[in-house]
Amino acid sequence: MNIINLTPPNTVRLTAEETQLLDLWHACGLGVVLEKAHGMDPILLFLRYGAEPKHGFAYSLGHPYFALVKRGLYQSAMRNLSRGDAWSFVWIYRNMPYRTVLKLLQATMSSEYEQPQYIPCMYDDGHLSFAENEAKWDRYCTMLALEGFPVHLSHALTRAVDWLSSYEILNDRFAGHPLLPKMRQSLLRLGNRGHHDLFEAFGHTPSKMAPHTAGARKYMSVKGLERLAMMRHHAYRSKDTD
């Protein structure tokens, strides 16, 4: 039976890259997720007070612990963050080595690093891209509403629409961070998959569709983040008129 050697909280030394990564993760809600996570207390206790093995803490824990951390963080993110931030949070977690994950959790609990305030990402008139999208998409969104174009799209496309707002804020705040181009590519892949799912659900493929209405034709003519921005504004405007 392993017994935790309780010592004063471990001192964590982060590199400049790790500190920037920690700030990025906190901007997505890391502090809130940890505060409200369930079922992770033994791991968090070990991270905060356990003596560090010579071969490295990350390698002293096997798959059951990894699964516990993954489940606890994921469930807390989905319960306590805005939907877009939750997708950003989980993506960052999945794209870090497990040892880095544990080190950043340690740093958060050590109180040695200032935690940026978490501001939930919301798409409304206060969002940084709202005015631009209002000018660009409002007329087309009116057409989509009149044509009865669906608001609740495929699951993947809906996720991508939500995720876009969080990505835009992170990209504005942490411009140049090496993870963000990779996040953008994941967001684009998710949106593209959702676009195809939307048509395949009705037995069609996008390349063979010839829309007969102006709003739908516009939807089919845009791609990538523009498509997601258009559908996000359509969902926002539809909610506003409910």
Side-chain angles (χ1 to χ4, degrees):
M1 180 178 181
N2 293 326
I3 300 176
I4 297 176
N5 177 22
L6 293 181
T7 63
N10 290 321
T11 298
V12 183
R13 294 287 179 257
L14 300 182
T15 65
E17 291 78 10
E18 289 170 338
T19 300
Q20 189 179 33
L21 183 56
L22 180 63
D23 288 343
L24 180 67
W25 210 14
H26 268 291
C28 301
L30 174 60
V32 174
V33 167
L34 272 184
E35 180 183 353
K36 300 186 178 180
H38 300 308
M40 289 179 56
D41 290 348
I43 302 298
L44 299 182
L45 182 65
F46 200 133
L47 283 170
R48 187 165 189 177
Y49 293 106
E52 179 75 10
K54 291 181 181 180
H55 57 283
F57 176 77
Y59 297 105
S60 69
L61 297 180
H63 176 73
Y65 299 95
F66 178 83
L68 181 63
V69 171
K70 177 181 178 181
R71 182 172 62 251
L73 293 179
Y74 181 89
Q75 291 177 347
S76 182
M78 293 302 157
R79 282 195 308 266
N80 300 299
L81 304 181
S82 70
R83 287 179 298 183
D85 287 334
W87 296 127
S88 291
F89 180 96
V90 170
W91 186 91
I92 292 172
Y93 165 79
R94 288 174 176 168
N95 284 270
M96 284 191 291
Y98 184 45
R99 184 168 189 170
T100 302
V101 169
L102 297 178
K103 190 174 182 182
L104 297 189
L105 296 183
Q106 269 188 310
T108 298
M109 292 182 296
S110 72
S111 301
E112 295 175 17
Y113 291 86
E114 183 178 354
Q115 298 183 20
Q117 181 185 5
Y118 169 60
I119 302 174
C121 165
M122 303 295 293
Y123 184 72
D124 54 23
D125 58 8
H127 190 273
L128 61 89
S129 70
F130 184 87
E132 178 184 350
N133 283 283
E134 176 84 357
K136 190 171 187 177
W137 302 118
D138 194 53
R139 179 168 65 92
Y140 293 108
C141 291
T142 299
M143 294 178 186
L144 291 176
L146 292 173
E147 295 165 11
F149 197 88
V151 174
H152 303 291
L153 309 171
S154 68
H155 178 62
L157 194 51
T158 299
R159 281 176 54 191
V161 166
D162 290 334
W163 190 6
L164 173 63
S165 298
S166 179
Y167 165 76
E168 287 177 335
I169 290 176
L170 294 176
N171 193 48
D172 179 72
R173 184 172 173 182
F174 298 94
H177 193 286
L179 266 189
L180 291 177
K182 297 177 183 179
M183 181 185 287
R184 184 179 190 275
Q185 289 302 312
S186 294
L187 174 57
L188 286 169
R189 284 194 296 269
L190 181 64
N192 192 51
R193 185 171 83 234
H195 172 66
H196 284 78
D197 290 347
L198 176 64
F199 290 92
E200 290 173 2
F202 297 97
H204 301 291
T205 57
S207 60
K208 296 181 179 180
M209 290 294 294
H212 301 294
T213 56
R217 280 197 298 271
K218 184 62 179 178
Y219 170 82
M220 291 296 291
S221 73
V222 295
K223 301 181 184 299
L225 298 187
E226 274 205 326
R227 180 192 294 147
L228 297 180
M230 180 182 180
M231 296 317 298
R232 177 181 60 183
H233 207 72
H234 173 47
Y236 175 82
R237 282 296 175 215
S238 298
K239 178 186 66 175
D240 203 38
T241 57
D242 284 348

